[in-house]
Amino acid sequence: METIVLGIGETLVRDDRRWSSWADWLGVPPHTLSALVGAAVAQGHDAADALRTLRPGMDVEAAYRARSAAGRGEHLDESDLYQDVRPALGELRAAGVRVVVAGNGSARAGELLRALDLPADLVVTSAEWGVRKPDPEFFARVAEAAEAPPAATLYVGDHPADDLFPAAAAGLRTAHLRRGPYGHWWADHPDVVETAEFRIDALTELVALVRPPGAGAEAAGAAAVGSDAEGTGGEGSGEEEVGGEETDAAGAAREGARRGALRSVR
């Protein structure tokens, strides 16, 4: 692997502050908006649909500009980063890997991220490129920014429809990160399992994919899938146990709905 490209939201950055600030702006309890975000994720919809559920017909971009004008725009600091971000990116660069951060976000988000001085060769957002994921043009820009052949470029993200599927369609290698609502909810979906070359639970697992070269990548892939399978028996089964026992028929119906929802946005 010569280049590793990482998404932003729920890959590097926790989205807690984002949704909490929206809840405050709309005058609703944070847990109400969080629950609606979860519902949108489970249906395979855009998480921003949660905002439109609260305010039907809402123009999210216009509301974002109004928040900024009122001095309640985006904020991002070290506490918003997942704890494995700096160690993982630092080790990747030390191993000679080009590290690129490229994901959906505003120009302001790009400025805030670069101000954190992450161990990355390039940090860029969709607003700065003028195209958003999952548009194929975004991943064409990723391929250019990678400065490496697609077969030597790994795109890492949590969102199947925005990250995994379009990156694979662009010929890039892919790693699905079990993190955030989308990353956890869809982790064991057959399309995700089939498409993701690697499935990981932490960014620090990426280091094993590039060091040592050659056999190390194969071993790391096996380890990632193995740890994911172990997690399925715990996290996956625990999810079904919430609220009491679930019949086989109910479980099958729920899983069928999950699969159909994801395919609808693929």
Side-chain angles (χ1 to χ4, degrees), residues 236-247:
S237 59
E239 183 177 276
E240 293 179 356
E241 291 168 4
V242 174
E245 294 184 0
E246 181 176 42
T247 66

Side-chain angles (χ1 to χ4, degrees), residues 3-9 11-12 89 98-105 110 113-114 118 120-129 131-133 137-146 153-158 162-163 167 172:
T3 300
I4 291 185
V5 186
L6 305 100
I8 298 173
T11 297
L12 302 187
L89 271 56
R98 177 172 169 79
V99 175
V100 174
V101 174
N104 283 347
L113 277 170
R114 286 189 290 273
L118 295 171
D121 296 281
L122 175 66
V123 175
V124 65
T125 65
S126 58
E128 293 169 325
W129 272 350
V131 61
R132 289 177 58 85
K133 295 184 295 185
E137 179 58 28
F138 180 93
F139 290 92
R141 297 293 298 269
V142 166
E144 293 176 5
T153 300
L154 180 72
Y155 193 88
V156 183
D158 64 294
D162 282 0
D163 298 324
L172 305 175

Side-chain angles (χ1 to χ4, degrees), residues 3-256:
T3 300
I4 291 185
V5 186
L6 305 100
I8 298 173
E10 292 301 343
T11 297
L12 302 187
V13 176
R14 298 160 53 105
D15 278 347
D16 310 44
R17 189 195 300 270
R18 172 192 178 195
W19 295 117
S20 180
S21 61
W22 271 115
D24 183 58
W25 177 255
L26 295 175
V28 300
H31 77 271
T32 298
L33 181 53
S34 293
L36 292 173
V37 169
V41 169
Q43 295 174 58
H45 296 167
D46 185 343
D49 284 348
L51 301 174
R52 302 182 185 97
T53 299
L54 289 169
R55 299 289 184 273
M58 174 182 180
D59 184 330
V60 177
E61 290 299 322
Y64 170 83
R65 291 192 295 271
R67 279 181 52 196
S68 298
R72 297 166 66 180
E74 288 181 85
H75 179 77
L76 187 65
D77 61 32
E78 192 71 21
S79 67
D80 295 299
L81 296 176
Y82 278 98
Q83 292 185 345
D84 59 358
V85 171
R86 286 195 182 277
L89 271 56
E91 288 191 59
L92 289 170
R93 291 191 80 192
V97 176
R98 177 172 169 79
V99 175
V100 174
V101 174
N104 283 347
S106 65
R108 174 61 175 161
E111 294 172 359
L112 293 168
L113 277 170
R114 286 189 290 273
L116 293 178
D117 195 24
L118 295 171
D121 296 281
L122 175 66
V123 175
V124 65
T125 65
S126 58
E128 293 169 325
W129 272 350
V131 61
R132 289 177 58 85
K133 295 184 295 185
D135 193 304
E137 179 58 28
F138 180 93
F139 290 92
R141 297 293 298 269
V142 166
E144 293 176 5
E147 298 182 2
T153 300
L154 180 72
Y155 193 88
V156 183
D158 64 294
H159 198 305
D162 282 0
D163 298 324
L164 181 62
F165 301 150
L172 305 175
R173 301 177 74 177
T174 57
H176 180 253
L177 176 63
R178 188 196 291 264
R179 175 175 286 175
Y182 285 101
H184 282 286
W185 183 256
W186 298 106
D188 299 318
H189 187 285
D191 288 355
V192 172
V193 175
E194 177 185 356
T195 305
E197 184 173 353
F198 303 100
R199 292 190 294 151
I200 60 176
D201 295 311
L203 296 180
T204 47
E205 294 177 42
L206 294 171
V207 179
L209 304 184
V210 297
R211 184 196 295 165
E218 181 178 349
V225 173
S227 64
D228 187 78
E230 291 173 4
T232 302
E235 183 178 4
S237 59
E239 183 177 276
E240 293 179 356
E241 291 168 4
V242 174
E245 294 184 0
E246 181 176 42
T247 66
D248 290 343
R254 186 168 66 86
E255 184 60 22

